[in-house]
Amino acid sequence: MDLNKLRQERQKWLSWKNIAPINEALNNLTIPNIIDVKLNDAIEIKIEDKNLEEIKKVAKLMKPWRKGPFKINSLFIDSEWRSYIKYNLIRPYFNLNNKVVADVGCNNGYYMFKMLEDNPKKIVGFDPSALNYLQFKFIDSFVNSNIVYEMLGIEHIEYYEHKFDTIFCLGVLYHRSDPIGSLKSLYKSLNKNGELILDTFMIDGDKDICLTPKERYSKIPNIYFIPTVNALKNWCFRAGFKDIKVLEIKKTDLTEQRKTDWIDSQSLNDFLDKNNPELTTEGYPAPKRVYIKAIK
């Protein structure tokens, strides 16, 4: 696979009519001097107090902000997801010091920015979304990291120019119509003894089965398979992984995911049955996630 040709094609996405004005506004944005960056639950950026209104206008153009939050002086980008809840949940289970790391489905890079405090050797993000890429560029214009952002998907990672010591794949697998094939791609992309940190929707039960939504799950159209924990372990085993451990199981709640002024659309509260929040609007079990670590 010619990744360079693919990269060139995807750069053209920045000229799409809904993306081009955002890209132009970002390119014309004057970045003040950076005073400080703190990798707290919110990525906190302190700048010289200039043109903050211009910065706010560009940030508003980039809605919806799904992952975060971010804070630039008094400007608080209150993302739909309080992503630090997930990050703090899995943080005890990995050490990225001097490792080559990939974040597959990296969205706007929130998790990658948080990973910087672990002193990894290199971080590469994969996400085939022009808007997410521009959100990353916007935040990184203040952070000035060495993170590499590729507008590529999980299906491209096995052809990447190098392998990885740790791969994060958070909230991606249920979007794939061939989850075992995707896990095989991740397996091939790891160095020997490399680790995969993965989370996905799950259903309760001890059987090796999965839920296959007919049309939508929690109003999301591209959800294909939601396994039990045992079924997910079997998928990982079939992909080649041997040491597979469950790290955490957590139900998604309104503390973690909710509607804010920064998304202009529905959120978790709209996705659940109004009479029974234990079910989605379609009648399926409400979202619950399992977090695993799998070793090559």
PDB file of all heavy atoms in Angstrom, residues 247-264:
ATOM      1  N   LEU A 247      -8.920  -5.044  32.259  1.00  0.00           N
ATOM      2  CA  LEU A 247      -8.437  -4.005  33.162  1.00  0.00           C
ATOM      3  C   LEU A 247      -9.579  -3.401  33.972  1.00  0.00           C
ATOM      4  O   LEU A 247      -9.498  -3.306  35.190  1.00  0.00           O
ATOM      5  CB  LEU A 247      -7.723  -2.905  32.367  1.00  0.00           C
ATOM      6  CG  LEU A 247      -6.603  -3.358  31.434  1.00  0.00           C
ATOM      7  CD1 LEU A 247      -6.015  -2.163  30.698  1.00  0.00           C
ATOM      8  CD2 LEU A 247      -5.526  -4.105  32.205  1.00  0.00           C
ATOM      9  N   GLU A 248     -10.618  -2.977  33.284  1.00  0.00           N
ATOM     10  CA  GLU A 248     -11.746  -2.320  33.937  1.00  0.00           C
ATOM     11  C   GLU A 248     -13.010  -2.566  33.133  1.00  0.00           C
ATOM     12  O   GLU A 248     -12.950  -2.814  31.921  1.00  0.00           O
ATOM     13  CB  GLU A 248     -11.527  -0.800  34.033  1.00  0.00           C
ATOM     14  CG  GLU A 248     -10.310  -0.367  34.854  1.00  0.00           C
ATOM     15  CD  GLU A 248     -10.537  -0.449  36.341  1.00  0.00           C
ATOM     16  OE1 GLU A 248     -11.695  -0.674  36.769  1.00  0.00           O
ATOM     17  OE2 GLU A 248      -9.555  -0.290  37.099  1.00  0.00           O
ATOM     18  N   ILE A 249     -14.135  -2.455  33.799  1.00  0.00           N
ATOM     19  CA  ILE A 249     -15.446  -2.433  33.147  1.00  0.00           C
ATOM     20  C   ILE A 249     -16.201  -1.234  33.710  1.00  0.00           C
ATOM     21  O   ILE A 249     -16.256  -1.052  34.929  1.00  0.00           O
ATOM     22  CB  ILE A 249     -16.231  -3.738  33.387  1.00  0.00           C
ATOM     23  CG1 ILE A 249     -15.571  -4.904  32.636  1.00  0.00           C
ATOM     24  CG2 ILE A 249     -17.684  -3.577  32.952  1.00  0.00           C
ATOM     25  CD1 ILE A 249     -16.203  -6.258  32.909  1.00  0.00           C
ATOM     26  N   LYS A 250     -16.758  -0.409  32.828  1.00  0.00           N
ATOM     27  CA  LYS A 250     -17.410   0.811  33.300  1.00  0.00           C
ATOM     28  C   LYS A 250     -18.622   1.141  32.441  1.00  0.00           C
ATOM     29  O   LYS A 250     -18.528   1.179  31.212  1.00  0.00           O
ATOM     30  CB  LYS A 250     -16.440   1.999  33.280  1.00  0.00           C
ATOM     31  CG  LYS A 250     -17.017   3.277  33.872  1.00  0.00           C
ATOM     32  CD  LYS A 250     -16.024   4.431  33.810  1.00  0.00           C
ATOM     33  CE  LYS A 250     -16.595   5.673  34.474  1.00  0.00           C
ATOM     34  NZ  LYS A 250     -17.859   6.126  33.867  1.00  0.00           N
ATOM     35  N   LYS A 251     -19.732   1.419  33.104  1.00  0.00           N
ATOM     36  CA  LYS A 251     -20.918   1.887  32.414  1.00  0.00           C
ATOM     37  C   LYS A 251     -20.747   3.362  32.082  1.00  0.00           C
ATOM     38  O   LYS A 251     -20.257   4.152  32.890  1.00  0.00           O
ATOM     39  CB  LYS A 251     -22.143   1.688  33.304  1.00  0.00           C
ATOM     40  CG  LYS A 251     -23.457   2.055  32.648  1.00  0.00           C
ATOM     41  CD  LYS A 251     -24.616   1.778  33.597  1.00  0.00           C
ATOM     42  CE  LYS A 251     -25.935   2.195  32.976  1.00  0.00           C
ATOM     43  NZ  LYS A 251     -27.073   1.968  33.903  1.00  0.00           N
ATOM     44  N   THR A 252     -21.137   3.764  30.884  1.00  0.00           N
ATOM     45  CA  THR A 252     -21.081   5.173  30.495  1.00  0.00           C
ATOM     46  C   THR A 252     -22.227   5.926  31.162  1.00  0.00           C
ATOM     47  O   THR A 252     -23.376   5.500  31.097  1.00  0.00           O
ATOM     48  CB  THR A 252     -21.183   5.324  28.969  1.00  0.00           C
ATOM     49  OG1 THR A 252     -20.166   4.537  28.347  1.00  0.00           O
ATOM     50  CG2 THR A 252     -21.007   6.779  28.560  1.00  0.00           C
ATOM     51  N   ASP A 253     -21.908   7.057  31.815  1.00  0.00           N
ATOM     52  CA  ASP A 253     -22.947   7.817  32.503  1.00  0.00           C
ATOM     53  C   ASP A 253     -22.890   9.286  32.100  1.00  0.00           C
ATOM     54  O   ASP A 253     -22.026   9.714  31.331  1.00  0.00           O
ATOM     55  CB  ASP A 253     -22.845   7.657  34.023  1.00  0.00           C
ATOM     56  CG  ASP A 253     -21.496   8.102  34.577  1.00  0.00           C
ATOM     57  OD1 ASP A 253     -20.901   9.048  34.025  1.00  0.00           O
ATOM     58  OD2 ASP A 253     -21.033   7.512  35.572  1.00  0.00           O
ATOM     59  N   LEU A 254     -23.821  10.052  32.639  1.00  0.00           N
ATOM     60  CA  LEU A 254     -23.962  11.456  32.254  1.00  0.00           C
ATOM     61  C   LEU A 254     -22.874  12.344  32.853  1.00  0.00           C
ATOM     62  O   LEU A 254     -22.753  13.497  32.462  1.00  0.00           O
ATOM     63  CB  LEU A 254     -25.346  11.972  32.658  1.00  0.00           C
ATOM     64  CG  LEU A 254     -26.527  11.284  31.968  1.00  0.00           C
ATOM     65  CD1 LEU A 254     -27.847  11.773  32.544  1.00  0.00           C
ATOM     66  CD2 LEU A 254     -26.489  11.526  30.468  1.00  0.00           C
ATOM     67  N   THR A 255     -22.100  11.809  33.770  1.00  0.00           N
ATOM     68  CA  THR A 255     -20.936  12.549  34.256  1.00  0.00           C
ATOM     69  C   THR A 255     -19.839  12.566  33.202  1.00  0.00           C
ATOM     70  O   THR A 255     -19.119  13.553  33.043  1.00  0.00           O
ATOM     71  CB  THR A 255     -20.401  11.900  35.551  1.00  0.00           C
ATOM     72  OG1 THR A 255     -21.428  11.896  36.531  1.00  0.00           O
ATOM     73  CG2 THR A 255     -19.196  12.665  36.081  1.00  0.00           C
ATOM     74  N   GLU A 256     -19.745  11.466  32.443  1.00  0.00           N
ATOM     75  CA  GLU A 256     -18.669  11.300  31.464  1.00  0.00           C
ATOM     76  C   GLU A 256     -19.034  11.851  30.088  1.00  0.00           C
ATOM     77  O   GLU A 256     -18.195  12.433  29.401  1.00  0.00           O
ATOM     78  CB  GLU A 256     -18.308   9.818  31.356  1.00  0.00           C
ATOM     79  CG  GLU A 256     -17.118   9.531  30.468  1.00  0.00           C
ATOM     80  CD  GLU A 256     -16.721   8.068  30.477  1.00  0.00           C
ATOM     81  OE1 GLU A 256     -17.447   7.242  31.074  1.00  0.00           O
ATOM     82  OE2 GLU A 256     -15.672   7.732  29.889  1.00  0.00           O
ATOM     83  N   GLN A 257     -20.269  11.654  29.661  1.00  0.00           N
ATOM     84  CA  GLN A 257     -20.714  12.057  28.321  1.00  0.00           C
ATOM     85  C   GLN A 257     -22.026  12.817  28.434  1.00  0.00           C
ATOM     86  O   GLN A 257     -23.009  12.285  28.963  1.00  0.00           O
ATOM     87  CB  GLN A 257     -20.904  10.836  27.416  1.00  0.00           C
ATOM     88  CG  GLN A 257     -21.298  11.192  25.992  1.00  0.00           C
ATOM     89  CD  GLN A 257     -21.720   9.982  25.159  1.00  0.00           C
ATOM     90  OE1 GLN A 257     -21.987   8.918  25.706  1.00  0.00           O
ATOM     91  NE2 GLN A 257     -21.777  10.149  23.854  1.00  0.00           N
ATOM     92  N   ARG A 258     -22.031  14.057  27.937  1.00  0.00           N
ATOM     93  CA  ARG A 258     -23.254  14.854  28.016  1.00  0.00           C
ATOM     94  C   ARG A 258     -23.198  15.979  26.997  1.00  0.00           C
ATOM     95  O   ARG A 258     -22.153  16.317  26.465  1.00  0.00           O
ATOM     96  CB  ARG A 258     -23.475  15.403  29.430  1.00  0.00           C
ATOM     97  CG  ARG A 258     -22.508  16.522  29.826  1.00  0.00           C
ATOM     98  CD  ARG A 258     -21.177  16.006  30.345  1.00  0.00           C
ATOM     99  NE  ARG A 258     -20.371  17.095  30.840  1.00  0.00           N
ATOM    100  CZ  ARG A 258     -19.459  17.778  30.137  1.00  0.00           C
ATOM    101  NH1 ARG A 258     -19.244  17.474  28.875  1.00  0.00           N
ATOM    102  NH2 ARG A 258     -18.783  18.759  30.682  1.00  0.00           N
ATOM    103  N   LYS A 259     -24.349  16.576  26.757  1.00  0.00           N
ATOM    104  CA  LYS A 259     -24.452  17.672  25.804  1.00  0.00           C
ATOM    105  C   LYS A 259     -23.847  18.934  26.400  1.00  0.00           C
ATOM    106  O   LYS A 259     -24.058  19.249  27.570  1.00  0.00           O
ATOM    107  CB  LYS A 259     -25.919  17.919  25.443  1.00  0.00           C
ATOM    108  CG  LYS A 259     -26.135  19.056  24.448  1.00  0.00           C
ATOM    109  CD  LYS A 259     -27.607  19.187  24.084  1.00  0.00           C
ATOM    110  CE  LYS A 259     -27.866  20.437  23.257  1.00  0.00           C
ATOM    111  NZ  LYS A 259     -27.095  20.466  22.012  1.00  0.00           N
ATOM    112  N   THR A 260     -23.066  19.659  25.592  1.00  0.00           N
ATOM    113  CA  THR A 260     -22.527  20.952  25.996  1.00  0.00           C
ATOM    114  C   THR A 260     -22.722  21.945  24.850  1.00  0.00           C
ATOM    115  O   THR A 260     -23.139  21.578  23.747  1.00  0.00           O
ATOM    116  CB  THR A 260     -21.014  20.874  26.316  1.00  0.00           C
ATOM    117  OG1 THR A 260     -20.264  20.809  25.080  1.00  0.00           O
ATOM    118  CG2 THR A 260     -20.685  19.658  27.165  1.00  0.00           C
ATOM    119  N   ASP A 261     -22.377  23.193  25.103  1.00  0.00           N
ATOM    120  CA  ASP A 261     -22.476  24.227  24.065  1.00  0.00           C
ATOM    121  C   ASP A 261     -21.462  24.032  22.949  1.00  0.00           C
ATOM    122  O   ASP A 261     -21.521  24.731  21.933  1.00  0.00           O
ATOM    123  CB  ASP A 261     -22.281  25.610  24.687  1.00  0.00           C
ATOM    124  CG  ASP A 261     -23.426  26.014  25.603  1.00  0.00           C
ATOM    125  OD1 ASP A 261     -24.514  25.442  25.446  1.00  0.00           O
ATOM    126  OD2 ASP A 261     -23.208  26.883  26.483  1.00  0.00           O
ATOM    127  N   TRP A 262     -20.552  23.099  23.123  1.00  0.00           N
ATOM    128  CA  TRP A 262     -19.485  22.902  22.148  1.00  0.00           C
ATOM    129  C   TRP A 262     -19.754  21.752  21.185  1.00  0.00           C
ATOM    130  O   TRP A 262     -18.869  21.366  20.425  1.00  0.00           O
ATOM    131  CB  TRP A 262     -18.147  22.711  22.863  1.00  0.00           C
ATOM    132  CG  TRP A 262     -17.649  23.996  23.435  1.00  0.00           C
ATOM    133  CD1 TRP A 262     -17.957  24.540  24.652  1.00  0.00           C
ATOM    134  CD2 TRP A 262     -16.783  24.945  22.800  1.00  0.00           C
ATOM    135  NE1 TRP A 262     -17.334  25.754  24.808  1.00  0.00           N
ATOM    136  CE2 TRP A 262     -16.610  26.034  23.685  1.00  0.00           C
ATOM    137  CE3 TRP A 262     -16.140  24.991  21.555  1.00  0.00           C
ATOM    138  CZ2 TRP A 262     -15.826  27.138  23.379  1.00  0.00           C
ATOM    139  CZ3 TRP A 262     -15.349  26.090  21.256  1.00  0.00           C
ATOM    140  CH2 TRP A 262     -15.194  27.147  22.152  1.00  0.00           C
ATOM    141  N   ILE A 263     -20.993  21.199  21.204  1.00  0.00           N
ATOM    142  CA  ILE A 263     -21.286  20.134  20.228  1.00  0.00           C
ATOM    143  C   ILE A 263     -22.523  20.415  19.373  1.00  0.00           C
ATOM    144  O   ILE A 263     -22.615  19.923  18.257  1.00  0.00           O
ATOM    145  CB  ILE A 263     -21.415  18.756  20.892  1.00  0.00           C
ATOM    146  CG1 ILE A 263     -22.637  18.664  21.830  1.00  0.00           C
ATOM    147  CG2 ILE A 263     -20.137  18.381  21.619  1.00  0.00           C
ATOM    148  CD1 ILE A 263     -22.949  17.247  22.256  1.00  0.00           C
ATOM    149  N   ASP A 264     -23.479  21.197  19.869  1.00  0.00           N
ATOM    150  CA  ASP A 264     -24.678  21.531  19.078  1.00  0.00           C
ATOM    151  C   ASP A 264     -25.393  20.299  18.532  1.00  0.00           C
ATOM    152  O   ASP A 264     -25.854  20.282  17.386  1.00  0.00           O
ATOM    153  CB  ASP A 264     -24.312  22.453  17.901  1.00  0.00           C
ATOM    154  CG  ASP A 264     -23.917  23.845  18.375  1.00  0.00           C
ATOM    155  OD1 ASP A 264     -24.251  24.191  19.526  1.00  0.00           O
ATOM    156  OD2 ASP A 264     -23.277  24.568  17.592  1.00  0.00           O
TER     157      ASP A 264
END
